[in-house]
Amino acid sequence: MPSAPPRDRVRIAIDRGGTFTDCLGISDSKGNVLIKLLSVDPANYSDAPTEGIRRILEWFLDEKLPRSDLIDTSCIEWIRMGTTVATNALLERKGEKHAMVITKGFRDLVDIGNQTRPNLFQLAIKKPEVLYSKVVEVDERVVVQWPDNIPADGSMVTAEGDELVVGISGEPVRIITPLDVPALTAQLQGLYDEGFRSIAIVFMHSYTYQKHEQIAAEIARKIGFPFVSVSSELQAMIRVVSRANSTTADAYLTPEIRKYLANFAKGFKGELKEDNGCRVSFMQSDGSLVDFRQFSGLKAILSGPAGGVVGYAQTSYDESEASPVVGFDMGGTSTDVSRYGGSLEHSFESVTAGVTIQCPQLDINTVAAGGGSKLFWRNQMFVVGPDSAGAHPGPACYRKGGPLTVTDANLFLGRLHIDSFPKIFGPNENEPLDYEVTAKLFQELTDTINAEIGGSLTAHEVACGFINVANETMARPIRALTESRGFLTSGHNLSCFGGAGGQHATAIASTLGIHNVIVHKYSSVLSAYGMALADVAVDDTEPCSEIYSSESLAALQPRLAALRAKSTASLVAQGIPESIVQTETFLNMRYQGSDTALMILEDAKGEFLEGFRESHRREFSFILDKPIIIDDIRVRATGSGAKLGGVAPRSYVKDLAALPRVKVAADQAFSSNEVYFEETEGKVATPIYRLSELVPGTVVKGPAIILDATQTLVIHPANVATILVDHVFIDVGLGPRKQLGTDVVDPIALSIFGNRFMSIADRMGRTLQRTAVSLQIKERLDFSCAIFGPDAGLVANAPHIPVHLGSMQYAIQYQAELHAGKLKEGDILVSNHPTAGGTHLPDITVVCPVFENGEIVFYVAARGHHGDIGGLNGQSMPPDSAEIWQEGASIMSTMLVSNGVFNEKEIVEIFEKAGTYENCAASRRIQDNISDLKAQCAACSQGAAQIKGLFQEYGKEVTQFYMRAIRNNAESSVREFFKKTYAERGGRLIHAIDHLDDGTPIELTVDIDPETGGAKWDFTGTGLEAAVCNSAIIYCLRTLIGTDMPLNAGVLAPVELVVPEGTILKPSPFAAVSSGNTETSQRTCDVIFKAFEACAASQGCMNVFHANYKSLSYGETICGGAGAGKTWKGQSGVHINMTNTRITDPEVLEKRFPLLLREFTIREGSGGVGLNMGGNGVHREFQVLCDGLEVVVIGERRVTQPYGMHGGGPGQRGCTYWLRQMPDGTRRKIKMKPSPFFKPSRDDRIIIHTPGGGAYGSPDEKAAPVEAPSKGFQTRANGSVIQYMQLQEQN
């Protein structure tokens, strides 16, 4: 390996992006040089990074280097590079053909995933394509032995005669089916003979028992497979779905990376194999460098963005001041946000282009707002993105017929200096930016807006409005990223980089209350500069299953020492001197019974407990008196980049303190623009300065524009910029906001308030999820948070669970009417009874009035699913309940908090009372119920505080005015939809009827008034007793309308709802309703979609599975087939309509509950047959591991089939089977009733077949040509915030 290089060589850092490649040459003797190239320019060069290196060497050596000559690296100290090769291959699905080799019974595991659909309101469900081309199932099976089944005598043989071995985690592992080596060898040879050269090997529980995977990998390599990706080698962490996705991604991408590296090396003498002291490294997703020969596809996905994070972390954070920094990287199509507080923050599971990646990655979060984001006027609101104009045609000002974008808005407002841009636009790429076409399009859009709303907006006000909406879109994840971790947003600095960031940074900082913006001189190429600042690192993880204690920590020391030695050896093998290697030790820790683990760094005392408690208290606002489980041990070994010839950044804090201030001279401006600022309510003459001409210490007061070679910094009127040696430091000077009136609705303010109201509901949800203790709320996100006006009408409901969408409003209205004039500040109410607006009893609603000067001005509410509230035979959702008291604790209205005091005594009595009825039991987890109710109170307190913050910003009258305007906007959208529907159907009757399995009808007739856009929804004809209608209507209307719109009380304003008393949609106060939240709501959606002829029926139920064992309980809803439509086939193995909850990972399920998942596959042929086939249901099969289980399955479509539409065939029915183990060793297969309760014995099996979806169109029809749908925006970096936001939208 190369030895330490001399200091008189050039150092080269490169960021190969999707459009441009930034190359930075660094020399002690000659200074620095920046080269910017097109990433793809085949007419001039074959590889942009190689061309960049050649040009830097020409500068460094002062000589011409022909492109035909191989590059000599002897005068290069190092090359450090980030690349989008892996990201692009993943986004474009252009990776290596490969096969997945997986445990028998799980061939469709990756396809089903966590069973959620990507877009909650899309009938044409599109799941990401799987990466593999073929699946091979291997007959092998192991499981972590259930504790009750471990032989008491210490024997390593189970009662069934199976071998027990100790896994890496220390747990006993049962070998149920040993690996059949001859059969596997034949299977792998068959793949090789078919032409496969890359395979992904994924076996159940291989995170702790790796032997089977290792044997399979050895066989594959002997056969000749050049690329073998093994899940346990990539990341030995529990969760087989994530591990399988990661392994297929590695098998898909690593061959592409190797091809690229081989071609890259061919441009150099000796193909980079010469030992001449030049170290070539690539940036990995975790922010560390690795020798190019060890660079892999799985760890390359965030290679470029990671450089930017390292760049701002090293240049914008100062240890002496220790102010945390938010990174704001705004590009053409998207914006990345991240946070740095002294150490790089990692996530260990993220999603890129629909593929779950399980490996350490920097916690980077991408939002669909960039310079190229399109601008829309939709539903009388300003909308920015997520669609982008891309490089071609690009923004309108690029002269290629493109649409209006954020870049056009900045140009039109005077914030870009046209003469400073190269003349590379137009069809011949030789013209300047086109201001005239941009101005023309903005004026046309303004005329449209004014005509529609009767307004008098100017074109500049419209353009500025779009900028404000874009800024709010980008500010939302920044708030979430900081506050979700318990950090105050305003306590951060904002580090701005990326090509478009400087045009927005100070405005976003002002929106967030951030006082300082820091811009490095290399901000527009900070990802490349970050390569020069990065360390070389290796990250190793092993599973564990210890309860944390001083004894267990001592017992782990040999394993930790071995990991440290392994990681250090990996760095030494890359040529890193052992003397500069430092190691960090982490434990991945969680409370027993929780699925939320925190990665905790070892403290100076060699301990972890206080760090865990501090992190848990900060992020979740509480700590528990429960055992703490260690899930994983981790070591990160680092070779300091600075000690390897890297660059040491300059401190902006020292420069701020030391540099004398000089006021910028008027004649230093080389030009000026007339720039529109909202603060000045018009255009103002704004000087333009070149950064290179401003000496350190120069102070520039806004308004101003500062240009460097590749970036524009907009300095707003309240801002003050100080030029430092390597930075521009901007004091934002948080000025007054624009004053809004209440006479006329400002559509710009309407869009902003729509975002802010949703943001409040979103932050309430984050608070609830952070502070809850139950799995249902914390991990499955089975909750909803919303805000309501003083009339208790819905204002904003973050789209968590569709079945909660409209029903919460009626719960709030009931409480408001019941307690009118009696409530006071500090009171919080609780309710769950259907008569009081509840769905079913496990969904408990907490309601908090928000007061201003003694008057209720808003309400906030949080509804959460409590898994155990007592009930018949201890079941909170008994399938055979007839009376509501059989379904657990029932609360019509109770004061949960009075005068700020939590009413725990009465609440406990309510839960205990549920066990006093015949054959009923009380909740077994009352303290968890209490903890979750307190979490719901915390969410409401958060919402109340945020609403009061809006009052402080805008005033009560303005806030309530726009609250009403948002409702009116939703109402207008629905009325337009009804008018359009009436015209399209020629006034034909809208009617449908469907039947539950017991024959009960659900019937709907919709009568539209074409003049007003109102509609009477009449459910007369619906059968007798059992709940949920408004939620289904809101969900279906939003889905049918097909565009983003506010979800609030306005949606139902045009609807006259007729629901007869005593029906299943409006039950009596005493009727059992537990299944109404699941089965009835699903069937109501089917009836609505049938009436509007939108699509064939989907599976029409939630397939609720619930099991109890001793003090443990486990529940899930199971996916099925989706209905087909006129232009799409039904999706298979996915949740539909009123639910979208995640299903538990098979390895987690088997570790936490005595069930063995034998099979989870798509039930081929269960979808309806037609022109467009219905989606298939699934086969889910459990084996019972212990006696004493009680099982409930609640399902529909076991008798009636999901209907087809317009000649399409119906989907197949679902069914539940009980395979009883008989004394003679045979199994008796029993077909169960639609919703059974039963008690299986050990080794019995439970099979659930979920229904398929109906088909659309006759099989004999010919398909009409359909325009290919847009793939839409795909995020490259789904860190912790974006994952949460997507889960909300999915749930």
Side-chain angles (χ1 to χ4, degrees):
M1 298 301 293
S3 58
R7 295 293 297 170
D8 58 347
R9 302 188 193 186
V10 68
R11 289 156 280 169
I12 300 175
I14 301 172
D15 173 33
R16 185 194 185 280
T19 305
F20 292 105
T21 293
D22 298 323
C23 306
L24 182 64
I26 303 168
S27 165
D28 293 336
S29 59
K30 298 197 67 171
N32 300 346
V33 66
L34 173 64
I35 306 291
K36 201 173 189 75
L37 301 164
L38 288 171
S39 292
V40 179
D41 190 359
N44 291 300
Y45 44 81
S46 59
D47 180 69
T50 305
E51 174 67 13
I53 293 169
R54 188 187 66 79
R55 294 188 190 183
I56 288 174
L57 286 178
E58 287 186 334
W59 162 81
F60 182 65
L61 299 172
D62 286 324
E63 64 179 81
K64 191 73 175 173
L65 300 177
R67 287 197 181 112
S68 58
D69 291 357
L70 297 179
I71 293 174
D72 182 358
T73 58
S74 59
C75 58
I76 303 175
E77 183 175 343
W78 48 249
I79 299 169
R80 297 178 177 180
M81 184 166 150
T83 178
T84 59
V85 169
T87 313
N88 293 342
L90 196 58
L91 290 170
E92 298 168 11
R93 294 297 196 261
K94 292 182 179 178
E96 179 78 3
K97 170 188 171 184
H98 72 284
M100 180 174 70
V101 180
I102 196 166
T103 303
K104 184 179 180 180
F106 296 94
R107 65 174 183 267
D108 298 315
L109 186 70
V110 172
D111 192 3
I112 297 171
N114 62 18
Q115 77 180 5
T116 60
R117 60 192 185 275
N119 188 315
L120 192 66
F121 299 106
Q122 194 171 66
L123 291 174
I125 299 169
K126 302 294 182 186
K127 291 196 297 187
E129 299 172 10
V130 295
L131 302 179
Y132 51 81
S133 303
K134 186 172 182 176
V135 180
V136 169
E137 290 188 291
V138 176
D139 195 11
E140 69 82 42
R141 190 66 159 94
V142 305
V143 69
V144 175
Q145 183 73 334
W146 186 250
D148 293 354
N149 294 346
I150 297 174
D153 61 1
S155 169
M156 297 303 284
V157 178
T158 70
E160 296 85 359
D162 296 332
E163 180 187 5
L164 286 177
V165 297
V166 178
I168 294 173
S169 63
E171 301 162 292
V173 177
R174 174 185 168 193
I175 313 299
I176 299 173
T177 306
L179 184 65
D180 186 337
V181 173
L184 174 61
T185 303
Q187 289 175 304
L188 294 177
Q189 185 65 54
L191 288 174
Y192 192 86
D193 293 343
E194 288 180 42
F196 286 93
R197 294 296 180 267
S198 179
I199 60 170
I201 300 173
V202 188
F203 292 160
M204 283 286 290
H205 296 286
S206 64
Y207 68 93
T208 186
Y209 181 76
Q210 301 177 355
K211 184 177 179 180
H212 283 180
E213 283 195 352
Q214 291 168 349
I215 292 171
E218 183 180 356
I219 294 170
R221 290 177 180 127
K222 284 182 178 178
I223 288 172
F225 284 96
F227 301 107
V228 181
S229 296
V230 184
S231 81
S232 55
E233 293 177 0
L234 293 171
Q235 192 73 18
M237 295 180 76
I238 192 171
R239 285 187 168 80
V240 65
V241 176
S242 302
R243 218 169 53 250
N245 269 286
S246 300
T247 311
T248 63
D250 189 68
Y252 190 66
L253 298 175
T254 295
E256 294 299 309
I257 287 287
R258 298 281 169 82
K259 291 175 193 173
Y260 175 75
L261 292 176
N263 288 330
F264 175 68
K266 287 177 182 177
F268 299 84
K269 289 183 178 179
E271 297 188 3
L272 299 177
K273 296 174 184 176
E274 295 181 354
D275 188 10
N276 60 11
C278 177
R279 171 184 294 282
V280 181
S281 306
F282 274 73
M283 176 64 77
Q284 301 184 109
S285 299
D286 66 352
S288 70
L289 297 168
V290 68
D291 185 278
F292 78 102
R293 284 157 288 203
Q294 298 182 24
F295 192 45
S296 72
L298 183 66
K299 296 182 178 180
I301 293 170
L302 298 184
S303 176
V309 174
V310 173
Y312 87 76
Q314 294 291 320
T315 60
S316 300
Y317 178 86
D318 191 283
E319 289 185 357
S320 64
E321 184 203 34
S323 291
V325 186
V326 169
F328 172 67
D329 178 6
M330 184 177 178
T333 59
S334 61
T335 296
D336 291 340
V337 298
S338 54
R339 180 187 181 276
Y340 184 81
S343 61
L344 295 174
E345 298 183 352
H346 294 96
S347 63
F348 293 85
E349 187 174 307
S350 61
V351 180
T352 298
V355 179
T356 302
I357 304 299
Q358 189 186 55
C359 74
Q361 293 186 320
L362 291 177
D363 193 1
I364 302 171
N365 299 271
T366 302
V367 290
S373 293
K374 295 181 185 179
L375 311 181
F376 302 96
W377 170 251
R378 183 185 293 156
N379 296 331
Q380 297 191 356
M381 295 183 76
F382 284 59
V383 178
V384 177
D387 295 341
S388 173
H392 299 283
C397 60
Y398 280 17
R399 299 178 181 266
K400 292 183 180 178
L404 284 176
T405 66
V406 170
T407 295
D408 291 295
N410 279 311
L411 176 67
F412 183 58
L413 294 172
R415 299 178 184 186
L416 298 178
H417 186 239
I418 292 177
D419 293 341
S420 295
F421 279 77
K423 295 181 179 181
I424 57 172
F425 305 101
N428 297 318
E429 299 184 349
N430 60 353
E431 297 179 82
L433 291 171
D434 190 342
Y435 177 86
E436 285 71 24
V437 73
T438 296
K440 175 176 176 289
L441 290 175
F442 266 115
Q443 188 58 57
E444 290 173 356
L445 180 60
T446 302
D447 292 342
T448 298
I449 292 170
N450 285 332
E452 199 167 312
I453 66 172
S456 56
L457 292 171
T458 68
H460 286 99
E461 287 174 328
V462 168
C464 189
F466 278 112
I467 294 293
N468 291 344
V469 171
N471 289 345
E472 181 62 35
T473 300
M474 293 182 281
R476 185 176 172 187
I478 294 175
R479 288 193 192 99
L481 183 66
T482 51
E483 293 175 3
S484 66
R485 305 253 177 93
F487 300 110
L488 189 66
T489 306
S490 59
H492 292 68
N493 291 330
L494 186 72
S495 178
C496 157
F497 56 108
Q503 300 155 43
H504 297 259
T506 61
I508 288 174
S510 178
T511 296
L512 295 166
I514 290 176
H515 293 266
N516 303 317
V517 173
I518 302 169
V519 187
H520 192 266
K521 68 178 181 181
Y522 290 138
S523 62
S524 61
V525 293
L526 201 61
S527 288
Y529 190 54
M531 312 295 169
L533 304 172
D535 298 328
V536 182
V538 169
D539 214 301
D540 284 308
T541 303
E542 285 186 1
C544 183
S545 189
E546 298 284 348
I547 295 177
Y548 185 88
S549 66
S550 57
E551 293 80 9
S552 64
L553 186 58
L556 283 175
Q557 291 309 311
R559 288 184 64 190
L560 291 169
L563 265 189
R564 283 191 282 267
K566 177 185 175 185
S567 300
T568 300
S570 296
L571 288 181
V572 171
Q574 295 183 48
I576 309 301
E578 188 172 353
S579 59
I580 69 168
V581 174
Q582 295 182 324
T583 60
E584 295 176 308
T585 303
F586 300 82
L587 297 183
N588 200 25
M589 307 167 73
R590 62 178 173 83
Y591 281 117
Q592 193 173 58
S594 168
D595 264 0
T596 304
L598 298 173
M599 193 66 73
I600 304 301
L601 175 66
E602 182 180 33
D603 65 20
K605 300 176 183 177
E607 296 178 353
F608 300 84
L609 184 60
E610 285 308 311
F612 174 77
R613 287 175 173 166
E614 179 184 344
S615 295
H616 205 282
R617 183 182 288 110
R618 188 190 68 241
E619 290 204 28
F620 306 128
S621 303
F622 67 92
I623 58 174
L624 298 173
D625 185 18
K626 281 186 174 184
I628 298 169
I629 305 296
I630 305 170
D631 272 343
D632 305 279
I633 61 175
R634 174 187 171 215
V635 168
R636 185 173 177 86
T638 303
S640 169
K643 294 178 181 178
L644 293 168
V647 178
R650 189 180 181 97
S651 167
Y652 77 88
V653 172
K654 292 179 182 177
D655 282 351
L656 269 178
L659 288 171
R661 302 297 191 267
V662 180
K663 184 179 178 181
V664 68
D667 61 0
Q668 286 185 270
F670 75 92
S671 185
S672 69
N673 268 7
E674 291 291 312
V675 181
Y676 181 94
F677 291 102
E678 189 177 60
E679 303 94 309
T680 60
E681 297 185 353
K683 288 186 176 182
V684 58
T686 302
I688 304 176
Y689 306 94
R690 288 192 178 96
L691 180 60
S692 59
E693 297 174 357
L694 300 177
V695 299
T698 301
V699 176
V700 180
K701 293 185 178 181
I705 293 175
I706 301 175
L707 300 181
D708 71 5
T710 55
Q711 172 136 275
T712 299
L713 300 181
V714 175
I715 311 300
H716 283 248
N719 304 160
V720 177
T722 302
I723 311 303
L724 307 179
V725 176
D726 281 352
H727 303 79
V728 177
F729 183 87
I730 305 170
D731 182 342
V732 175
L734 306 173
R737 292 190 178 275
K738 175 184 176 181
Q739 296 299 306
L740 295 171
T742 57
D743 298 326
V744 178
V745 174
D746 179 339
I748 302 165
L750 183 69
S751 303
I752 297 292
F753 269 100
N755 270 308
R756 292 297 294 272
F757 286 139
M758 284 297 293
S759 179
I760 291 172
D762 170 55
R763 289 156 87 179
M764 289 175 65
R766 288 180 179 280
T767 301
L768 176 52
Q769 190 258 354
R770 285 196 304 116
T771 55
V773 300
S774 70
L775 294 176
Q776 284 84 1
I777 294 177
K778 198 169 197 64
E779 273 87 35
R780 295 184 70 236
L781 303 184
D782 194 348
F783 65 84
S784 285
C785 294
I787 59 178
F788 305 82
D791 60 351
L794 180 64
V795 175
N797 192 141
H800 299 99
I801 301 293
V803 76
H804 296 166
L805 278 174
S807 57
M808 278 179 74
Q809 171 175 301
Y810 297 93
I812 313 309
Q813 289 174 340
Y814 183 94
Q815 302 300 322
E817 292 171 8
L818 183 66
H819 297 276
K822 303 172 189 175
L823 296 174
K824 53 188 179 300
E825 190 140 17
D827 289 348
I828 300 179
L829 301 161
V830 62
S831 176
N832 69 344
H833 200 287
T835 300
T839 49
H840 63 173
L841 297 186
D843 286 342
I844 301 179
T845 305
V846 170
V847 184
C848 174
V850 182
F851 285 85
E852 178 83 359
N853 297 324
E855 172 193 2
I856 294 177
V857 290
F858 272 87
Y859 290 90
V860 292
R863 175 172 285 175
H865 184 92
H866 291 240
D868 188 353
I869 59 169
L872 189 64
N873 300 314
Q875 301 281 347
S876 299
M877 291 185 63
D880 50 354
S881 56
E883 302 289 341
I884 198 165
W885 52 263
Q886 296 174 311
E887 298 182 345
S890 172
I891 310 168
M892 193 71 75
S893 180
T894 294
M895 199 69 71
L896 184 61
V897 176
S898 182
N899 294 318
V901 178
F902 190 84
N903 185 14
E904 185 164 341
K905 181 175 181 293
E906 184 178 351
I907 299 302
V908 169
E909 290 173 353
I910 290 172
F911 282 110
E912 290 176 340
K913 184 181 178 182
T916 63
Y917 297 101
E918 183 180 357
N919 297 324
C920 292
S923 168
R924 290 162 293 183
R925 294 176 174 265
I926 292 179
Q927 283 310 308
D928 282 2
N929 298 127
I930 296 297
S931 296
D932 281 354
L933 286 172
K934 289 180 177 178
Q936 290 172 258
C937 290
C940 289
S941 297
Q942 171 70 249
Q946 296 297 326
I947 288 171
K948 289 181 178 180
L950 275 183
F951 283 5
Q952 291 175 357
E953 282 187 58
Y954 297 102
K956 181 185 80 171
E957 289 75 17
V958 169
T959 302
Q960 290 188 332
F961 175 79
Y962 279 96
M963 173 267 294
R964 293 187 292 271
I966 288 286
R967 285 187 191 165
N968 293 339
N969 176 267
E971 178 181 347
S972 174
S973 297
V974 175
R975 289 189 184 278
E976 287 302 313
F977 167 73
F978 284 147
K979 291 177 182 178
K980 180 182 175 183
T981 300
Y982 183 90
E984 289 176 347
R985 296 175 63 92
R988 285 187 293 115
L989 181 69
I990 298 175
H991 174 267
I993 187 170
D994 202 352
H995 296 81
L996 299 177
D997 282 349
D998 64 359
T1000 302
I1002 299 178
E1003 186 170 2
L1004 170 65
T1005 303
V1006 179
D1007 184 12
I1008 296 175
D1009 183 338
E1011 299 299 321
T1012 66
K1016 179 179 180 181
W1017 290 51
D1018 190 346
F1019 283 93
T1020 300
T1022 296
L1024 298 178
E1025 288 206 339
V1028 182
C1029 189
N1030 296 286
S1031 300
I1033 294 175
I1034 287 183
Y1035 169 79
C1036 291
L1037 283 174
R1038 166 62 183 82
T1039 301
L1040 291 167
I1041 289 171
T1043 59
D1044 287 338
M1045 56 174 280
L1047 297 173
N1048 55 42
V1051 175
L1052 290 178
V1055 175
E1056 177 191 348
L1057 187 57
V1058 179
V1059 182
E1061 296 280 350
T1063 65
I1064 61 171
L1065 299 179
K1066 198 170 186 180
S1068 68
F1070 309 105
V1073 297
S1074 65
S1075 297
N1077 191 45
T1078 57
E1079 309 312 294
T1080 310
S1081 65
Q1082 292 283 55
R1083 193 58 57 81
T1084 302
C1085 287
D1086 274 351
V1087 171
I1088 294 171
F1089 289 137
K1090 184 178 183 180
F1092 283 87
E1093 300 179 31
C1095 62
S1098 295
Q1099 68 162 332
C1101 65
M1102 295 188 190
N1103 299 298
V1104 177
F1105 174 86
H1106 189 88
N1108 289 331
Y1109 175 72
K1110 296 183 177 179
S1111 63
L1112 301 174
S1113 63
Y1114 173 75
E1116 63 185 24
T1117 55
I1118 308 172
C1119 59
K1126 185 176 182 180
T1127 59
W1128 71 88
K1129 294 178 173 62
Q1131 188 60 260
S1132 301
V1134 71
H1135 258 327
I1136 48 92
N1137 296 342
M1138 299 301 279
T1139 189
N1140 207 27
T1141 52
R1142 307 176 91 184
I1143 201 158
T1144 304
D1145 184 273
E1147 289 178 345
V1148 175
L1149 161 63
E1150 293 180 354
K1151 192 171 178 180
R1152 306 282 170 83
F1153 201 79
L1155 287 171
L1156 180 73
L1157 185 60
R1158 279 291 186 176
E1159 183 176 344
F1160 189 27
T1161 56
I1162 290 173
R1163 206 159 64 95
E1164 297 296 338
S1166 57
V1169 177
L1171 172 66
N1172 286 327
M1173 306 286 280
N1176 293 313
V1178 300
H1179 174 113
R1180 192 160 172 87
E1181 181 173 345
F1182 300 103
Q1183 181 177 335
V1184 177
L1185 298 180
C1186 295
D1187 289 323
L1189 258 70
E1190 297 177 340
V1191 173
V1192 169
V1193 180
I1194 299 175
E1196 274 285 327
R1197 296 289 194 197
R1198 270 56 177 172
V1199 177
T1200 62
Q1201 292 179 262
Y1203 61 80
M1205 182 164 284
H1206 293 304
Q1212 286 189 11
R1213 302 174 181 87
C1215 193
T1216 301
Y1217 299 98
W1218 178 8
L1219 274 64
R1220 299 196 65 178
Q1221 184 74 31
M1222 306 309 291
D1224 62 359
T1226 61
R1227 293 187 187 275
R1228 179 187 172 206
K1229 188 174 185 179
I1230 304 169
K1231 184 177 180 180
M1232 309 297 286
K1233 65 180 183 179
S1235 295
F1237 168 76
F1238 56 107
K1239 298 180 180 182
S1241 302
R1242 181 170 176 169
D1243 287 334
D1244 286 357
R1245 295 198 184 189
I1246 303 161
I1247 297 175
I1248 300 171
H1249 284 171
T1250 65
Y1256 191 103
S1258 167
D1260 301 325
E1261 285 184 52
K1262 290 185 179 179
V1266 178
E1267 185 178 341
S1270 168
K1271 287 186 177 179
F1273 176 78
Q1274 297 188 68
T1275 53
R1276 65 180 178 184
N1278 279 5
S1280 57
V1281 171
I1282 299 302
Q1283 282 193 81
Y1284 179 85
M1285 293 171 73
Q1286 288 188 342
L1287 280 174
Q1288 285 193 106
E1289 292 161 3
Q1290 291 170 3
N1291 284 342

